[in-house]
Amino acid sequence: MMRAWPVIPAMFLALGGLSAVAGYEMAPPRAAAWHEIVWPFPRDGWPAGRAFHCGAAECGADAEVYLRPKLGFCNCDSGVADDDEVDRVADVDMISPRFAPLRAGDVVDVADMPGRIRVYRLDGSRTAIGIAVSHRCDLMAVAAQGRGDAARVQRATLAFLGSQEIRNWMTAALEGR
């Protein structure tokens, strides 16, 4: 009976260490892990937006996020209604003209704005995420791309969009400030 006594604390320490590692692996990346980069796309009918990069070590997947407001571009009554609208407006086509949805999209709420999110496969091994959310008659288009697991790219993108700095910027951009 005395020999089992040192084994019990050792087991608790090992279990605690494994729990800490698992928690670290599942924790969303901090907004500070993202670094603003130059808008990489040519000019079109909309103003350039903001672009950010996060490395695999910080975000679990090498990812870039591109976001920009499209003022007056959303249905004032229904907002972002369906996946076809996400395909058209979320700017995934700027990353690659060849993109294919992996599945039906989902309802999402970003910065207290309702919309839809959809996952795509790009040419090669890249994943893209398209998000379109609305505020009154305005639209926030978000496109993200990354290498690796689509769930990690989506999780990193949504965590970044949930940061207070980005939430504040999106709200101000859609209110014309």
Side-chain angles (χ1 to χ4, degrees):
M1 184 73 169
M2 282 305 261
R3 289 186 205 156
W5 168 228
V7 173
I8 293 172
M11 287 175 44
F12 277 110
L13 285 173
L15 184 59
L18 289 174
S19 295
V21 169
Y24 176 77
E25 288 292 320
M26 296 303 291
R30 300 174 332 296
W34 291 84
H35 305 284
E36 191 157 7
I37 59 174
V38 174
W39 184 256
F41 305 110
R43 297 290 298 195
D44 60 7
W46 300 101
R50 294 180 73 183
F52 298 86
H53 177 264
C54 188
E58 296 89 1
C59 290
D62 192 44
E64 290 185 354
V65 173
Y66 319 104
L67 54 157
R68 65 180 171 167
K70 294 182 176 181
L71 302 179
F73 193 63
C74 196
N75 184 317
C76 300
D77 297 323
S78 63
V80 181
D82 56 35
D83 288 341
D84 289 338
E85 190 166 5
V86 177
D87 297 346
R88 283 191 312 275
V89 303
D91 291 338
V92 173
D93 62 327
M94 292 190 314
I95 300 169
S96 172
R98 294 190 328 253
F99 61 94
L102 292 179
R103 58 185 168 272
D106 294 304
V107 172
V108 70
D109 186 84
V110 174
D112 298 323
M113 294 180 281
R116 294 194 61 82
I117 184 171
R118 196 164 194 194
V119 179
Y120 305 89
R121 173 66 56 207
L122 299 177
D123 48 349
S125 63
R126 293 182 300 156
T127 296
I129 310 294
I131 302 172
V133 294
S134 64
H135 175 70
R136 298 188 187 110
C137 301
D138 301 323
L139 176 82
M140 180 60 68
V142 179
Q145 69 169 323
R147 297 207 178 273
D149 181 54
R152 281 190 178 172
V153 175
Q154 181 173 325
R155 190 170 39 253
T157 300
L158 289 173
F160 173 67
L161 296 175
S163 70
Q164 195 61 47
E165 175 188 350
I166 296 303
R167 289 172 54 93
N168 290 345
W169 179 82
M170 286 191 291
T171 300
L174 289 178
E175 290 178 356
R177 290 186 267 150

